Amino acid sequence: DTGVSQDPRHKITKRGQNVTFRCDPISEHNRLYWYRQTLGQGPEFLTYFQNEAQLEKSRLLSDRFSAERPKGSFSTLEIQRTEQGDSAMYLCASSLGDSTNYGYTFGSGTRLTVV
Amino acid sequence: AQKVTQAQTEISVVEKEDVTLDCVYETRDTTYYLFWYKQPPSGELVFLIRRNSFDEQNEISGRYSWNFQKSTSSFNFTITASQVVDSAVYFCALSEAQGAGNMLTFGGGTRLMVKP
């Protein structure tokens, strides 16, 4: 168990560029979550997967945001045509089954800066 | 809709003082779960405690204790004899049994600074 890994840790991009972040959950965890945390705020839920199925995506912030988990293992979060307001920390978490019973494990996040 | 409020945005104490972080929540669900997380400067959220809505017993873990009161919709966190290493941002969070994938709704966080 090496924890939840996120890559890259930091990303600086120019406005209008596309960015993709990767999350590797704990290997036996079947649920994977993405959250966004802006400066001085608590994390806000974006989307989650159970295995490869994306079961909730209505809270993705706009149609520029998309996420995949093609084989039920790692996941990617893509932001197209980035805007300065997208600058934030993007956190991934995973859990085994019902997270209220087993709890979430969070990664260290990817900090995005859009210039 | 669920909501978590942490009214204290920043608290500063001197080492060895006791400090209480307040958390007030709103939910229409009868089954829900409350959490506290610690976020040190490294950014990773560290799980501290989970409580379900049917268990109002207070809990103590070392220097940490939690007071859950359904009557006031509060789940407060006390650190006894604070230490410099306790300096971090602390988040209270709520998960509803009926919520999407048991997603967490976080409060805005309380930044605790413990000075030597």
Side-chain angles (χ1 to χ4, degrees):
Chain A
D1 178 358
T2 58
V4 177
S5 299
Q6 291 189 245
D7 183 69
R9 289 296 309 274
H10 303 275
K11 176 73 177 178
I12 300 174
T13 191
K14 291 184 178 179
R15 190 173 44 155
Q17 297 293 306
N18 299 344
V19 294
T20 300
F21 311 138
R22 178 180 170 122
C23 172
D24 287 89
I26 292 173
S27 58
E28 63 267 27
H29 284 187
N30 58 349
R31 284 195 177 182
L32 186 148
Y33 303 79
W34 285 100
Y35 286 79
R36 184 181 83 153
Q37 185 177 17
T38 53
L39 203 60
Q41 302 296 317
E44 61 176 315
F45 171 80
L46 295 179
T47 187
Y48 92 101
F49 294 83
Q50 180 150 312
N51 300 312
E52 65 274 10
Q54 189 174 12
L55 299 184
E56 174 60 55
K57 56 182 179 180
S58 66
R59 304 210 184 203
L60 285 168
L61 300 162
S62 77
D63 58 7
R64 298 184 296 105
F65 287 71
S66 63
E68 292 184 342
R69 195 183 183 195
K71 297 181 181 177
S73 57
F74 74 91
S75 174
T76 57
L77 177 70
E78 182 182 17
I79 309 174
Q80 296 183 327
R81 305 180 303 282
T82 52
E83 301 173 357
Q84 287 191 321
D86 297 332
S87 296
M89 176 79 88
Y90 291 84
L91 293 163
C92 176
S94 69
S95 71
L96 177 63
D98 181 347
S99 53
T100 56
N101 284 327
Y102 299 103
Y104 293 78
T105 301
F106 279 87
S108 297
T110 293
R111 182 168 296 283
L112 172 67
T113 302
V114 182
V115 297
Chain B
Q2 64 270 37
K3 184 179 179 183
V4 176
T5 302
Q6 294 178 255
Q8 306 147 308
T9 54
E10 200 167 291
I11 300 176
S12 181
V13 299
V14 176
E15 205 169 20
K16 297 184 184 175
E17 284 185 22
D18 297 348
V19 57
T20 295
L21 310 181
D22 297 333
C23 172
V24 174
Y25 63 92
E26 295 175 30
T27 178
R28 284 181 238 168
D29 215 341
T30 55
T31 303
Y32 53 90
Y33 305 86
L34 295 164
F35 301 77
W36 276 93
Y37 283 86
K38 175 182 180 179
Q39 189 174 44
S42 59
E44 188 169 338
L45 283 163
V46 177
F47 169 82
L48 296 177
I49 190 172
R50 176 185 63 90
R51 246 313 170 244
N52 74 55
S53 53
F54 301 109
D55 183 1
E56 286 193 72
Q57 277 195 339
N58 291 331
E59 182 157 338
I60 298 174
S61 176
R63 296 184 297 107
Y64 296 170
S65 62
W66 291 270
N67 184 339
F68 176 27
Q69 291 195 337
K70 283 178 77 172
S71 61
T72 55
S73 298
S74 65
F75 186 44
N76 296 338
F77 172 32
T78 297
I79 302 174
T80 302
S82 60
Q83 299 176 2
V84 173
V85 293
D86 295 327
S87 297
V89 181
Y90 291 86
F91 290 98
C92 180
L94 166 72
S95 175
E96 294 177 333
Q98 301 301 318
N102 307 120
M103 56 169 265
L104 289 170
T105 297
F106 285 85
T110 297
R111 179 177 298 278
L112 174 64
M113 292 179 291
V114 182
K115 299 178 181 177

